[in-house]
Each structure stands twice: as structure tokens, then as C-alpha cells.
PDB file of all heavy atoms in Angstrom:
ATOM      1  N   ILE D   1    -101.055 -46.711 -23.876  1.00 90.00           N
ATOM      2  CA  ILE D   1    -100.538 -45.653 -24.747  1.00 90.00           C
ATOM      3  C   ILE D   1     -99.669 -44.687 -23.948  1.00 90.00           C
ATOM      4  O   ILE D   1     -98.612 -44.256 -24.410  1.00 90.00           O
ATOM      5  CB  ILE D   1    -101.682 -44.932 -25.482  1.00 90.00           C
ATOM      6  CG1 ILE D   1    -102.289 -45.878 -26.522  1.00 90.00           C
ATOM      7  CG2 ILE D   1    -101.195 -43.645 -26.136  1.00 90.00           C
ATOM      8  CD1 ILE D   1    -103.531 -45.355 -27.197  1.00 90.00           C
ATOM      9  N   GLU D   2    -100.069 -44.382 -22.730  1.00 93.00           N
ATOM     10  CA  GLU D   2     -99.255 -43.496 -21.884  1.00 93.00           C
ATOM     11  C   GLU D   2     -97.922 -44.150 -21.543  1.00 93.00           C
ATOM     12  O   GLU D   2     -96.873 -43.497 -21.564  1.00 93.00           O
ATOM     13  CB  GLU D   2    -100.014 -43.106 -20.617  1.00 93.00           C
ATOM     14  CG  GLU D   2     -99.267 -42.115 -19.760  1.00 93.00           C
ATOM     15  CD  GLU D   2     -98.895 -40.818 -20.488  1.00 93.00           C
ATOM     16  OE1 GLU D   2     -99.631 -40.391 -21.399  1.00 93.00           O
ATOM     17  OE2 GLU D   2     -97.857 -40.228 -20.144  1.00 93.00           O
ATOM     18  N   GLU D   3     -97.943 -45.449 -21.248  1.00 92.00           N
ATOM     19  CA  GLU D   3     -96.694 -46.175 -20.979  1.00 92.00           C
ATOM     20  C   GLU D   3     -95.778 -46.131 -22.202  1.00 92.00           C
ATOM     21  O   GLU D   3     -94.568 -45.958 -22.071  1.00 92.00           O
ATOM     22  CB  GLU D   3     -96.986 -47.622 -20.605  1.00 92.00           C
ATOM     23  CG  GLU D   3     -97.529 -47.804 -19.215  1.00 92.00           C
ATOM     24  CD  GLU D   3     -97.806 -49.272 -18.899  1.00 92.00           C
ATOM     25  OE1 GLU D   3     -97.085 -50.153 -19.405  1.00 92.00           O
ATOM     26  OE2 GLU D   3     -98.758 -49.525 -18.140  1.00 92.00           O
ATOM     27  N   ILE D   4     -96.344 -46.290 -23.381  1.00 87.00           N
ATOM     28  CA  ILE D   4     -95.560 -46.240 -24.616  1.00 87.00           C
ATOM     29  C   ILE D   4     -94.955 -44.852 -24.785  1.00 87.00           C
ATOM     30  O   ILE D   4     -93.779 -44.714 -25.137  1.00 87.00           O
ATOM     31  CB  ILE D   4     -96.429 -46.625 -25.839  1.00 87.00           C
ATOM     32  CG1 ILE D   4     -96.802 -48.108 -25.769  1.00 87.00           C
ATOM     33  CG2 ILE D   4     -95.701 -46.306 -27.141  1.00 87.00           C
ATOM     34  CD1 ILE D   4     -97.869 -48.528 -26.766  1.00 87.00           C
ATOM     35  N   ARG D   5     -95.742 -43.810 -24.529  1.00 89.00           N
ATOM     36  CA  ARG D   5     -95.236 -42.435 -24.651  1.00 89.00           C
ATOM     37  C   ARG D   5     -94.061 -42.193 -23.701  1.00 89.00           C
ATOM     38  O   ARG D   5     -93.060 -41.600 -24.082  1.00 89.00           O
ATOM     39  CB  ARG D   5     -96.349 -41.430 -24.396  1.00 89.00           C
ATOM     40  CG  ARG D   5     -97.326 -41.321 -25.521  1.00 89.00           C
ATOM     41  CD  ARG D   5     -98.336 -40.226 -25.247  1.00 89.00           C
ATOM     42  NE  ARG D   5     -99.241 -40.120 -26.381  1.00 89.00           N
ATOM     43  CZ  ARG D   5    -100.534 -39.966 -26.283  1.00 89.00           C
ATOM     44  NH1 ARG D   5    -101.105 -39.863 -25.094  1.00 89.00           N
ATOM     45  NH2 ARG D   5    -101.287 -39.879 -27.355  1.00 89.00           N
ATOM     46  N   VAL D   6     -94.198 -42.647 -22.458  1.00 90.00           N
ATOM     47  CA  VAL D   6     -93.128 -42.479 -21.465  1.00 90.00           C
ATOM     48  C   VAL D   6     -91.891 -43.254 -21.912  1.00 90.00           C
ATOM     49  O   VAL D   6     -90.765 -42.748 -21.858  1.00 90.00           O
ATOM     50  CB  VAL D   6     -93.599 -42.934 -20.062  1.00 90.00           C
ATOM     51  CG1 VAL D   6     -92.439 -43.023 -19.088  1.00 90.00           C
ATOM     52  CG2 VAL D   6     -94.677 -42.000 -19.546  1.00 90.00           C
ATOM     53  N   PHE D   7     -92.095 -44.479 -22.363  1.00 87.00           N
ATOM     54  CA  PHE D   7     -91.000 -45.320 -22.843  1.00 87.00           C
ATOM     55  C   PHE D   7     -90.255 -44.642 -23.987  1.00 87.00           C
ATOM     56  O   PHE D   7     -89.037 -44.559 -23.996  1.00 87.00           O
ATOM     57  CB  PHE D   7     -91.559 -46.683 -23.294  1.00 87.00           C
ATOM     58  CG  PHE D   7     -90.535 -47.602 -23.894  1.00 87.00           C
ATOM     59  CD1 PHE D   7     -89.740 -48.398 -23.087  1.00 87.00           C
ATOM     60  CD2 PHE D   7     -90.374 -47.681 -25.275  1.00 87.00           C
ATOM     61  CE1 PHE D   7     -88.803 -49.257 -23.639  1.00 87.00           C
ATOM     62  CE2 PHE D   7     -89.440 -48.533 -25.839  1.00 87.00           C
ATOM     63  CZ  PHE D   7     -88.648 -49.332 -25.016  1.00 87.00           C
ATOM     64  N   LYS D   8     -91.019 -44.126 -24.946  1.00 82.00           N
ATOM     65  CA  LYS D   8     -90.407 -43.481 -26.114  1.00 82.00           C
ATOM     66  C   LYS D   8     -89.727 -42.168 -25.750  1.00 82.00           C
ATOM     67  O   LYS D   8     -88.698 -41.821 -26.318  1.00 82.00           O
ATOM     68  CB  LYS D   8     -91.456 -43.257 -27.200  1.00 82.00           C
ATOM     69  CG  LYS D   8     -91.898 -44.574 -27.852  1.00 82.00           C
ATOM     70  CD  LYS D   8     -92.936 -44.339 -28.904  1.00 82.00           C
ATOM     71  CE  LYS D   8     -92.278 -43.716 -30.101  1.00 82.00           C
ATOM     72  NZ  LYS D   8     -93.146 -43.618 -31.266  1.00 82.00           N
ATOM     73  N   ALA D   9     -90.293 -41.435 -24.784  1.00 84.00           N
ATOM     74  CA  ALA D   9     -89.713 -40.156 -24.384  1.00 84.00           C
ATOM     75  C   ALA D   9     -88.352 -40.347 -23.722  1.00 84.00           C
ATOM     76  O   ALA D   9     -87.490 -39.461 -23.780  1.00 84.00           O
ATOM     77  CB  ALA D   9     -90.655 -39.422 -23.438  1.00 84.00           C
ATOM     78  N   ALA D  10     -88.131 -41.493 -23.111  1.00 84.00           N
ATOM     79  CA  ALA D  10     -86.882 -41.761 -22.412  1.00 84.00           C
ATOM     80  C   ALA D  10     -85.771 -42.238 -23.342  1.00 84.00           C
ATOM     81  O   ALA D  10     -84.640 -42.422 -22.913  1.00 84.00           O
ATOM     82  CB  ALA D  10     -87.119 -42.805 -21.321  1.00 84.00           C
ATOM     83  N   ARG D  11     -86.080 -42.407 -24.603  1.00 78.00           N
ATOM     84  CA  ARG D  11     -85.096 -42.908 -25.571  1.00 78.00           C
ATOM     85  C   ARG D  11     -84.909 -41.907 -26.707  1.00 78.00           C
ATOM     86  O   ARG D  11     -85.771 -41.081 -26.966  1.00 78.00           O
ATOM     87  CB  ARG D  11     -85.570 -44.246 -26.126  1.00 78.00           C
ATOM     88  CG  ARG D  11     -85.328 -45.346 -25.117  1.00 78.00           C
ATOM     89  CD  ARG D  11     -86.307 -46.485 -25.270  1.00 78.00           C
ATOM     90  NE  ARG D  11     -86.133 -47.460 -24.223  1.00 78.00           N
ATOM     91  CZ  ARG D  11     -86.552 -47.311 -22.972  1.00 78.00           C
ATOM     92  NH1 ARG D  11     -87.141 -46.215 -22.605  1.00 78.00           N
ATOM     93  NH2 ARG D  11     -86.376 -48.243 -22.069  1.00 78.00           N
ATOM     94  N   PRO D  12     -83.766 -42.036 -27.375  1.00 73.00           N
ATOM     95  CA  PRO D  12     -83.560 -41.142 -28.531  1.00 73.00           C
ATOM     96  C   PRO D  12     -84.658 -41.356 -29.565  1.00 73.00           C
ATOM     97  O   PRO D  12     -85.129 -42.473 -29.757  1.00 73.00           O
ATOM     98  CB  PRO D  12     -82.215 -41.589 -29.102  1.00 73.00           C
ATOM     99  CG  PRO D  12     -81.583 -42.444 -28.071  1.00 73.00           C
ATOM    100  CD  PRO D  12     -82.665 -42.944 -27.166  1.00 73.00           C
ATOM    101  N   LYS D  13     -85.084 -40.279 -30.175  1.00 69.00           N
ATOM    102  CA  LYS D  13     -86.160 -40.368 -31.161  1.00 69.00           C
ATOM    103  C   LYS D  13     -85.642 -41.065 -32.410  1.00 69.00           C
ATOM    104  O   LYS D  13     -84.824 -40.537 -33.139  1.00 69.00           O
ATOM    105  CB  LYS D  13     -86.691 -38.983 -31.504  1.00 69.00           C
ATOM    106  CG  LYS D  13     -87.949 -39.034 -32.308  1.00 69.00           C
ATOM    107  CD  LYS D  13     -88.629 -37.705 -32.358  1.00 69.00           C
ATOM    108  CE  LYS D  13     -89.962 -37.869 -33.041  1.00 69.00           C
ATOM    109  NZ  LYS D  13     -90.722 -36.657 -32.997  1.00 69.00           N
ATOM    110  N   GLN D  14     -86.136 -42.264 -32.626  1.00 59.00           N
ATOM    111  CA  GLN D  14     -85.749 -43.051 -33.791  1.00 59.00           C
ATOM    112  C   GLN D  14     -86.947 -43.349 -34.678  1.00 59.00           C
ATOM    113  O   GLN D  14     -86.801 -43.679 -35.819  1.00 59.00           O
ATOM    114  CB  GLN D  14     -85.144 -44.387 -33.358  1.00 59.00           C
ATOM    115  CG  GLN D  14     -83.890 -44.251 -32.552  1.00 59.00           C
ATOM    116  CD  GLN D  14     -83.401 -45.611 -32.078  1.00 59.00           C
ATOM    117  OE1 GLN D  14     -84.004 -46.638 -32.329  1.00 59.00           O
ATOM    118  NE2 GLN D  14     -82.288 -45.610 -31.390  1.00 59.00           N
ATOM    119  N   SER D  15     -88.117 -43.238 -34.078  1.00 49.00           N
ATOM    120  CA  SER D  15     -89.299 -43.696 -34.785  1.00 49.00           C
ATOM    121  C   SER D  15     -90.494 -42.820 -34.446  1.00 49.00           C
ATOM    122  O   SER D  15     -90.746 -42.517 -33.292  1.00 49.00           O
ATOM    123  CB  SER D  15     -89.577 -45.146 -34.359  1.00 49.00           C
ATOM    124  OG  SER D  15     -90.821 -45.562 -34.825  1.00 49.00           O
ATOM    125  N   ALA D  16     -91.240 -42.414 -35.453  1.00 67.00           N
ATOM    126  CA  ALA D  16     -92.438 -41.614 -35.235  1.00 67.00           C
ATOM    127  C   ALA D  16     -93.675 -42.468 -34.950  1.00 67.00           C
ATOM    128  O   ALA D  16     -94.599 -41.989 -34.332  1.00 67.00           O
ATOM    129  CB  ALA D  16     -92.687 -40.720 -36.442  1.00 67.00           C
ATOM    130  N   PRO D  17     -93.721 -43.733 -35.376  1.00 75.00           N
ATOM    131  CA  PRO D  17     -94.926 -44.527 -35.152  1.00 75.00           C
ATOM    132  C   PRO D  17     -95.214 -44.754 -33.677  1.00 75.00           C
ATOM    133  O   PRO D  17     -94.302 -44.787 -32.852  1.00 75.00           O
ATOM    134  CB  PRO D  17     -94.630 -45.861 -35.830  1.00 75.00           C
ATOM    135  CG  PRO D  17     -93.494 -45.623 -36.725  1.00 75.00           C
ATOM    136  CD  PRO D  17     -92.730 -44.476 -36.161  1.00 75.00           C
ATOM    137  N   LEU D  18     -96.471 -44.931 -33.362  1.00 79.00           N
ATOM    138  CA  LEU D  18     -96.878 -45.221 -31.987  1.00 79.00           C
ATOM    139  C   LEU D  18     -96.347 -46.578 -31.549  1.00 79.00           C
ATOM    140  O   LEU D  18     -95.859 -46.731 -30.440  1.00 79.00           O
ATOM    141  CB  LEU D  18     -98.403 -45.200 -31.876  1.00 79.00           C
ATOM    142  CG  LEU D  18     -98.988 -45.575 -30.524  1.00 79.00           C
ATOM    143  CD1 LEU D  18     -98.542 -44.574 -29.453  1.00 79.00           C
ATOM    144  CD2 LEU D  18    -100.497 -45.634 -30.597  1.00 79.00           C
ATOM    145  N   LEU D  19     -96.438 -47.556 -32.420  1.00 83.00           N
ATOM    146  CA  LEU D  19     -95.976 -48.901 -32.082  1.00 83.00           C
ATOM    147  C   LEU D  19     -94.554 -49.091 -32.578  1.00 83.00           C
ATOM    148  O   LEU D  19     -94.281 -49.016 -33.765  1.00 83.00           O
ATOM    149  CB  LEU D  19     -96.892 -49.956 -32.692  1.00 83.00           C
ATOM    150  CG  LEU D  19     -98.343 -49.925 -32.214  1.00 83.00           C
ATOM    151  CD1 LEU D  19     -99.161 -50.975 -32.945  1.00 83.00           C
ATOM    152  CD2 LEU D  19     -98.427 -50.123 -30.725  1.00 83.00           C
ATOM    153  N   ALA D  20     -93.663 -49.362 -31.643  1.00 83.00           N
ATOM    154  CA  ALA D  20     -92.263 -49.581 -31.971  1.00 83.00           C
ATOM    155  C   ALA D  20     -91.773 -50.783 -31.173  1.00 83.00           C
ATOM    156  O   ALA D  20     -92.309 -51.096 -30.110  1.00 83.00           O
ATOM    157  CB  ALA D  20     -91.445 -48.345 -31.628  1.00 83.00           C
ATOM    158  N   ASN D  21     -90.735 -51.425 -31.687  1.00 84.00           N
ATOM    159  CA  ASN D  21     -90.189 -52.564 -30.951  1.00 84.00           C
ATOM    160  C   ASN D  21     -89.275 -52.075 -29.826  1.00 84.00           C
ATOM    161  O   ASN D  21     -89.161 -50.867 -29.594  1.00 84.00           O
ATOM    162  CB  ASN D  21     -89.466 -53.534 -31.900  1.00 84.00           C
ATOM    163  CG  ASN D  21     -88.215 -52.946 -32.512  1.00 84.00           C
ATOM    164  OD1 ASN D  21     -87.700 -51.908 -32.085  1.00 84.00           O
ATOM    165  ND2 ASN D  21     -87.710 -53.609 -33.535  1.00 84.00           N
ATOM    166  N   GLU D  22     -88.623 -52.987 -29.153  1.00 83.00           N
ATOM    167  CA  GLU D  22     -87.798 -52.658 -28.001  1.00 83.00           C
ATOM    168  C   GLU D  22     -86.622 -51.737 -28.347  1.00 83.00           C
ATOM    169  O   GLU D  22     -86.113 -51.023 -27.502  1.00 83.00           O
ATOM    170  CB  GLU D  22     -87.247 -53.938 -27.350  1.00 83.00           C
ATOM    171  CG  GLU D  22     -88.314 -54.835 -26.759  1.00 83.00           C
ATOM    172  CD  GLU D  22     -89.036 -55.685 -27.799  1.00 83.00           C
ATOM    173  OE1 GLU D  22     -88.620 -55.719 -28.977  1.00 83.00           O
ATOM    174  OE2 GLU D  22     -90.054 -56.302 -27.442  1.00 83.00           O
ATOM    175  N   ARG D  23     -86.198 -51.749 -29.598  1.00 83.00           N
ATOM    176  CA  ARG D  23     -85.079 -50.898 -30.021  1.00 83.00           C
ATOM    177  C   ARG D  23     -85.548 -49.562 -30.588  1.00 83.00           C
ATOM    178  O   ARG D  23     -84.747 -48.756 -31.026  1.00 83.00           O
ATOM    179  CB  ARG D  23     -84.234 -51.642 -31.057  1.00 83.00           C
ATOM    180  CG  ARG D  23     -83.505 -52.844 -30.467  1.00 83.00           C
ATOM    181  CD  ARG D  23     -82.858 -53.623 -31.561  1.00 83.00           C
ATOM    182  NE  ARG D  23     -83.955 -54.127 -32.387  1.00 83.00           N
ATOM    183  CZ  ARG D  23     -83.980 -55.308 -32.962  1.00 83.00           C
ATOM    184  NH1 ARG D  23     -82.972 -56.109 -32.855  1.00 83.00           N
ATOM    185  NH2 ARG D  23     -85.005 -55.692 -33.665  1.00 83.00           N
ATOM    186  N   GLY D  24     -86.867 -49.355 -30.631  1.00 78.00           N
ATOM    187  CA  GLY D  24     -87.406 -48.099 -31.136  1.00 78.00           C
ATOM    188  C   GLY D  24     -87.728 -48.102 -32.618  1.00 78.00           C
ATOM    189  O   GLY D  24     -88.183 -47.101 -33.159  1.00 78.00           O
ATOM    190  N   ALA D  25     -87.503 -49.217 -33.287  1.00 83.00           N
ATOM    191  CA  ALA D  25     -87.809 -49.319 -34.718  1.00 83.00           C
ATOM    192  C   ALA D  25     -89.312 -49.518 -34.905  1.00 83.00           C
ATOM    193  O   ALA D  25     -89.972 -50.122 -34.048  1.00 83.00           O
ATOM    194  CB  ALA D  25     -87.045 -50.485 -35.341  1.00 83.00           C
ATOM    195  N   PRO D  26     -89.868 -48.992 -36.003  1.00 86.00           N
ATOM    196  CA  PRO D  26     -91.309 -49.153 -36.244  1.00 86.00           C
ATOM    197  C   PRO D  26     -91.715 -50.623 -36.261  1.00 86.00           C
ATOM    198  O   PRO D  26     -91.001 -51.469 -36.794  1.00 86.00           O
ATOM    199  CB  PRO D  26     -91.520 -48.535 -37.620  1.00 86.00           C
ATOM    200  CG  PRO D  26     -90.336 -47.676 -37.853  1.00 86.00           C
ATOM    201  CD  PRO D  26     -89.201 -48.277 -37.084  1.00 86.00           C
ATOM    202  N   MET D  27     -92.850 -50.918 -35.663  1.00 86.00           N
ATOM    203  CA  MET D  27     -93.356 -52.283 -35.658  1.00 86.00           C
ATOM    204  C   MET D  27     -94.161 -52.506 -36.931  1.00 86.00           C
ATOM    205  O   MET D  27     -95.104 -51.783 -37.204  1.00 86.00           O
ATOM    206  CB  MET D  27     -94.215 -52.541 -34.423  1.00 86.00           C
ATOM    207  CG  MET D  27     -94.576 -54.002 -34.283  1.00 86.00           C
ATOM    208  SD  MET D  27     -95.424 -54.410 -32.746  1.00 86.00           S
ATOM    209  CE  MET D  27     -94.139 -54.111 -31.571  1.00 86.00           C
ATOM    210  N   THR D  28     -93.774 -53.509 -37.679  1.00 88.00           N
ATOM    211  CA  THR D  28     -94.471 -53.828 -38.924  1.00 88.00           C
ATOM    212  C   THR D  28     -95.695 -54.691 -38.625  1.00 88.00           C
ATOM    213  O   THR D  28     -95.847 -55.224 -37.516  1.00 88.00           O
ATOM    214  CB  THR D  28     -93.549 -54.606 -39.881  1.00 88.00           C
ATOM    215  OG1 THR D  28     -93.229 -55.879 -39.279  1.00 88.00           O
ATOM    216  CG2 THR D  28     -92.272 -53.837 -40.183  1.00 88.00           C
ATOM    217  N   ALA D  29     -96.541 -54.836 -39.618  1.00 86.00           N
ATOM    218  CA  ALA D  29     -97.730 -55.678 -39.467  1.00 86.00           C
ATOM    219  C   ALA D  29     -97.318 -57.115 -39.154  1.00 86.00           C
ATOM    220  O   ALA D  29     -97.944 -57.784 -38.327  1.00 86.00           O
ATOM    221  CB  ALA D  29     -98.578 -55.627 -40.732  1.00 86.00           C
ATOM    222  N   ALA D  30     -96.248 -57.586 -39.794  1.00 89.00           N
ATOM    223  CA  ALA D  30     -95.777 -58.954 -39.554  1.00 89.00           C
ATOM    224  C   ALA D  30     -95.288 -59.121 -38.111  1.00 89.00           C
ATOM    225  O   ALA D  30     -95.538 -60.158 -37.478  1.00 89.00           O
ATOM    226  CB  ALA D  30     -94.663 -59.304 -40.529  1.00 89.00           C
ATOM    227  N   MET D  31     -94.610 -58.108 -37.585  1.00 90.00           N
ATOM    228  CA  MET D  31     -94.132 -58.169 -36.198  1.00 90.00           C
ATOM    229  C   MET D  31     -95.317 -58.219 -35.235  1.00 90.00           C
ATOM    230  O   MET D  31     -95.312 -58.986 -34.267  1.00 90.00           O
ATOM    231  CB  MET D  31     -93.261 -56.947 -35.885  1.00 90.00           C
ATOM    232  CG  MET D  31     -91.951 -56.929 -36.642  1.00 90.00           C
ATOM    233  SD  MET D  31     -91.152 -55.314 -36.546  1.00 90.00           S
ATOM    234  CE  MET D  31     -90.477 -55.359 -34.902  1.00 90.00           C
ATOM    235  N   LEU D  32     -96.317 -57.392 -35.490  1.00 87.00           N
ATOM    236  CA  LEU D  32     -97.502 -57.356 -34.635  1.00 87.00           C
ATOM    237  C   LEU D  32     -98.235 -58.689 -34.701  1.00 87.00           C
ATOM    238  O   LEU D  32     -98.657 -59.236 -33.675  1.00 87.00           O
ATOM    239  CB  LEU D  32     -98.413 -56.209 -35.066  1.00 87.00           C
ATOM    240  CG  LEU D  32     -99.552 -55.851 -34.150  1.00 87.00           C
ATOM    241  CD1 LEU D  32     -99.052 -55.477 -32.758  1.00 87.00           C
ATOM    242  CD2 LEU D  32    -100.347 -54.698 -34.738  1.00 87.00           C
ATOM    243  N   ARG D  33     -98.362 -59.229 -35.899  1.00 86.00           N
ATOM    244  CA  ARG D  33     -99.016 -60.531 -36.098  1.00 86.00           C
ATOM    245  C   ARG D  33     -98.280 -61.626 -35.330  1.00 86.00           C
ATOM    246  O   ARG D  33     -98.886 -62.428 -34.625  1.00 86.00           O
ATOM    247  CB  ARG D  33     -99.048 -60.855 -37.591  1.00 86.00           C
ATOM    248  CG  ARG D  33     -99.194 -62.317 -37.948  1.00 86.00           C
ATOM    249  CD  ARG D  33    -100.503 -62.930 -37.602  1.00 86.00           C
ATOM    250  NE  ARG D  33    -101.541 -62.336 -38.385  1.00 86.00           N
ATOM    251  CZ  ARG D  33    -102.832 -62.571 -38.173  1.00 86.00           C
ATOM    252  NH1 ARG D  33    -103.195 -63.383 -37.213  1.00 86.00           N
ATOM    253  NH2 ARG D  33    -103.740 -62.006 -38.891  1.00 86.00           N
TER     254      ARG D  33
END
């Protein structure tokens, strides 16, 4: 979770969800599956 926070902090805020893909878009249930 800390790695994700650091990763997200270094990029423009595009997504509020904790889980996001490499481009910062929210990760859907299908993507996680």
C-alpha cells in the first residue's frame, strides 16, 4: 500500500481509488480478476 501511495503521488492525480492500473485509471473487478 505504501508503494502504491508513492507511485500515485509521483503521477498526476487521475484516480481516487487505491487500486489503479499503470496509467492511473481505476482498476475494475474484471481487471483484478
